[in-house]
Structure formats: structure tokens, C-alpha cells
Amino acid sequence: MSTHNLMVLLLAVIALAAVSGVLGLLSYGVARAVGSPVAVAITWGGMVFLGAMTLFIALLNMLVTAVV
């Protein structure tokens, strides 16, 4: 794999981490809106963030193995 491909992959991971962060913040806001305590809302946000990152990394793994 060339350096260019690695940099594009790193950029994709960073962009998807940002998207996962936004999803985590949205789920935190929804949890607070329905009246959950802060600790529970942080847990919900963290779980959504980690779930989205897991999904995105699995998708990137499939794409990279298909290209290489």
C-alpha cells in the first residue's frame, strides 16, 4: 500500500471519527431531553460513538481489502 493510500485511509478514519462524535453528541442530547441523568446520558452517547466507530472501521476494512 502506498503512502498516498495510507494518508487517504487516515483522513477517512478521522472524518468518520468526527461523524461518530456528532452522533454521540446527538444521542447525549436526546437522552438529556427525555430526562435521563447526566451519567446515563454520557453512557448513551459513548455507546453510540463506539458503535458507530465499530461500524465505520468494519466498513473501511471491507473497502480496503477489496481495493488491495
Side-chain angles (χ1 to χ4, degrees):
M1 184 176 270
S2 69
T3 305
H4 181 264
N5 289 344
L6 288 174
M7 295 305 286
V8 169
L9 182 62
L10 180 63
L11 181 64
V13 169
I14 291 170
L16 292 174
V19 170
S20 296
V22 169
L23 290 174
L25 287 173
L26 285 173
S27 67
Y28 171 81
V30 168
R32 290 296 293 155
V34 298
S36 296
V38 173
V40 173
I42 289 172
T43 302
W44 286 8
M47 291 302 290
V48 169
F49 171 78
L50 292 175
M53 277 305 295
T54 302
L55 174 67
F56 290 148
I57 289 172
L59 290 174
L60 281 176
N61 183 31
M62 289 174 29
L63 289 174
V64 167
T65 55
V67 170
V68 173

